[in-house]
Amino acid sequence: MDETLPPCPRCSCEYTYEVGALLVCPECAHEWAAAVADATDDAGDGVVRDAVGNVLADGDTVTVVKTLKVKGSPTGIKAGTKVRNIRLVNGVGDHDIDCKVDGIGPMQLKSSVVKKV
């Protein structure tokens, strides 16, 4: 068994295993096709896309598409909140946007919960 499987694209866990035609991550339970993993390795150009597929760049303005709970804040971030001047980073987990939200302060967001304005 000399074949090494690719790490999980979601959490980078190296202990992936095969179930039929799919690869499975034991840590985050993400499942993906082996052919898709090969394609994403080749196209790993670092493009960050929002919830609807628009390409994001530093300095963009985005809106939050769903209400988010924020630890330490009684209200959280409501859907429709505008966030200006975002910065793309390699954050913790899936958090790839560094920003400052009015009324909350500096934080990191996932690109899957925002939409480019």
Side-chain angles (χ1 to χ4, degrees):
M1 188 149 196
D2 295 333
E3 179 184 342
T4 59
L5 297 173
C8 176
R10 187 173 285 171
C11 72
S12 300
C13 173
E14 59 187 34
Y15 302 111
T16 58
Y17 60 92
E18 288 182 287
V19 175
L22 295 176
L23 297 175
V24 180
C25 176
E27 290 186 5
C28 69
H30 178 61
E31 298 178 350
W32 70 100
V36 172
D38 295 338
T40 55
D41 289 343
D42 296 338
D45 53 1
V47 174
V48 177
R49 297 186 182 272
D50 66 2
V52 294
N54 298 324
V55 177
L56 295 174
D58 286 345
D60 282 346
T61 299
V62 296
T63 58
V64 178
V65 295
K66 68 178 194 176
T67 302
L68 303 172
K69 293 182 181 178
V70 178
K71 187 185 286 187
S73 172
T75 59
I77 303 173
K78 295 183 179 177
T81 302
K82 274 191 180 179
V83 180
R84 293 177 176 81
N85 198 18
I86 65 169
R87 192 173 47 161
L88 302 179
V89 295
N90 288 330
V92 179
D94 293 341
H95 296 80
D96 45 11
I97 296 175
D98 196 24
C99 61
K100 187 182 288 186
V101 179
D102 291 339
I104 303 290
M107 62 179 7
Q108 290 186 348
L109 296 172
K110 295 181 180 182
S111 59
S112 61
V113 298
V114 298
K115 182 175 80 169
K116 188 174 181 178
V117 175

